[in-house]
Amino acid sequence: MSKQTVFSGIQPTGDIHIGNYLGALRNWVALQDDYDTIYCVVDMHATTVPYDPKELHDNRVLTAKLLMAVGVDPSRSLLYFQSQVPQHAELSWILGSMTPLGALNRMTQYKEKAEKAGQMLGLYSYPVLMAADIMVHKAHAVPVGDDQTQHLELTRDLAERFNNRFGDTFPIPEQITPKRGARIMSLQDPTAKMSKSDADPRGSVLLLDSADTIVKKFKSAVTDSGREVSYDQEKKAGISNLLDILSIYTGRTVDALVDEYADAGYGPFKQAVADAVVDGLAPIRTAYNSLDDEEVGRIMSRGALDARTRAEHEMADVRTKVGLGG
Ligand code: TYM
């Protein structure tokens, strides 16, 4: 039996942080063993908020390099820049005619981003392009963090609508989220998710941060005024977030960590989290430094070529079904 297809994307909007890694990218890497994996640097999505063209251009390669450094292997996964495969935008247009405005009005990410970026059509229809990304490859599963759940629900709804109207075409894609780490919180505000757009750089730990910076960020992590290290996402959101991070990086259970650190004091506990993250990120930095920009560029061009061939095959079928066939 042929393998099922996995698709996911990441925006090239700056350095990747451990939230991206723990919520999504480590699953991207793990799924390469058993699935036909397709991963995309979604550069067109990054144009939906105000941006600098030079920065976007540089960030695309930076993001591609980071993906390879964490273990996305171009010999096992298809990896490319979204804008180099125009079939994404074409399918997005077709899906737009099947998307009720009510569904877009409910999107919390739109509401949050529109407050800062203004109410723009591109930002509003962002989730439709995301659905097209997934559907243009007929993906069965999508590894993402918690914050993409609403977008995935819309994708499933659009796949069902299309199938009902034009005949069975798209799988209904499943969301894959890790049990722990699906929503890593900001170190400066443990009630908000860690985010690339956070105004305070101390809120997120970046994959390429130096050991010193990582220690400083964890030492300044906001916690409660208590003393005991214990897991309670409501009353001790900051400490619970740190426990989640430590548990993933050490492979130990939260219960075992609470047993060990309950009375250690917050200082030593934070140091232990920082040490584990420094160790975990070291191989990523080494791999990143060994990658050559030009070679990465060539890999991305080859990826786009393959992705265009695959997406065109699917779009030929879609065009025929909707009455736009040749
Ligand atoms: P983006 O670029 O914001 O984030 C990339 C991935 O990281 C996850 N993530 C987190 N996970 C845990 N904790 C956090 N604090 C955290 N912050 C981010 C995100 O859930 C995501 O999986 N809309 C998408 C990009 C996209 C996409 C797609 C994804 C476009 N088309 C098609 C999947 C399929 C986004 O903005 O991700």
Side-chain angles (χ1 to χ4, degrees):
M1 223 181 75
S2 66
K3 287 178 177 174
Q4 290 214 320
T5 301
V6 157
F7 178 90
S8 198
I10 184 163
Q11 294 196 63
T13 40
D15 291 313
I16 298 178
H17 54 66
I18 58 169
N20 300 128
Y21 179 68
L22 300 178
L25 302 184
R26 66 193 167 113
N27 269 340
W28 292 23
V29 174
L31 291 164
Q32 293 179 121
D33 292 335
D34 300 316
Y35 290 84
D36 173 23
T37 39
I38 307 180
Y39 298 129
C40 190
V41 177
V42 289
D43 47 4
M44 293 197 299
H45 276 106
T47 66
T48 59
V49 292
Y51 71 98
D52 177 73
K54 164 97 175 67
E55 246 172 56
L56 173 59
H57 192 263
D58 294 348
N59 279 338
R60 296 193 320 165
V61 178
L62 176 95
T63 303
K65 270 175 88 173
L66 276 168
L67 291 177
M68 290 180 206
V70 301
V72 173
D73 174 1
S75 68
R76 291 194 292 161
S77 290
L78 185 52
L79 180 64
Y80 64 98
F81 295 127
Q82 179 190 40
S83 61
Q84 297 182 344
V85 181
Q87 287 82 359
H88 287 245
E90 184 186 358
L91 181 57
S92 175
W93 183 258
I94 290 171
L95 296 178
S97 299
M98 312 175 61
T99 309
L101 294 192
L104 298 181
N105 290 336
R106 282 196 294 277
M107 294 292 168
T108 51
Q109 287 216 345
Y110 171 73
K111 289 181 206 160
E112 284 164 18
K113 289 188 183 174
E115 253 178 52
K116 289 185 211 151
Q119 301 189 350
M120 296 292 166
L121 178 60
L123 188 59
Y124 194 51
S125 62
Y126 175 118
V128 185
L129 179 58
M130 176 161 162
D133 297 338
I134 297 165
M135 289 163 68
V136 83
H137 290 294
K138 296 199 174 146
H140 302 92
V142 186
V144 283
D146 231 4
D147 60 343
Q148 299 301 316
T149 301
Q150 252 190 333
H151 293 161
L152 255 293
E153 278 164 7
L154 176 72
T155 307
R156 279 196 289 276
D157 180 54
L158 288 174
E160 266 165 26
R161 280 172 192 265
F162 190 103
N163 290 349
N164 288 338
R165 171 115 191 260
F166 301 110
D168 210 17
T169 308
F170 296 109
I172 310 300
E174 299 286 333
Q175 176 170 350
I176 301 181
T177 32
K179 280 204 186 73
R180 207 173 279 288
R183 190 178 190 81
I184 297 293
M185 309 310 275
S186 160
L187 298 187
Q188 287 300 310
D189 176 4
T191 63
K193 68 169 185 186
M194 188 176 282
S195 160
K196 292 180 221 169
S197 54
D198 198 334
D200 186 342
R202 294 173 311 161
S204 25
V205 174
L206 307 179
L207 298 190
L208 295 179
D209 274 345
S210 69
D212 264 8
T213 305
I214 295 172
V215 172
K216 276 195 199 115
K217 285 181 177 175
F218 278 109
K219 287 258 158 130
S220 72
V222 170
T223 51
D224 53 274
S225 56
R227 294 164 156 270
E228 193 200 353
V229 172
S230 62
Y231 199 87
D232 182 332
Q233 279 181 324
E234 265 169 38
K235 295 200 189 96
K236 295 176 93 71
I239 292 292
S240 302
N241 190 39
L242 296 181
L243 276 166
D244 280 335
I245 295 171
L246 186 58
S247 164
I248 301 171
Y249 274 106
T250 56
R252 298 175 62 196
T253 63
V254 164
D255 284 349
L257 295 171
V258 167
D259 276 351
E260 180 172 345
Y261 291 101
D263 304 317
Y266 286 175
F269 170 63
K270 285 175 172 178
Q271 181 71 50
V273 182
D275 290 345
V277 173
V278 167
D279 282 354
L281 295 184
I284 295 177
R285 168 189 292 277
T286 309
Y288 182 87
N289 288 333
S290 74
L291 288 164
D292 171 64
D293 282 17
E294 279 183 18
E295 176 59 13
V296 170
R298 279 193 290 276
I299 290 171
M300 297 308 279
S301 299
R302 274 202 298 277
L305 210 61
D306 288 351
R308 271 202 297 276
T309 307
R310 287 185 62 156
E312 178 52 25
H313 175 77
E314 307 297 0
M315 276 313 291
D317 175 39
V318 169
R319 279 184 216 116
T320 305
K321 285 188 168 139
V322 302
L324 297 172

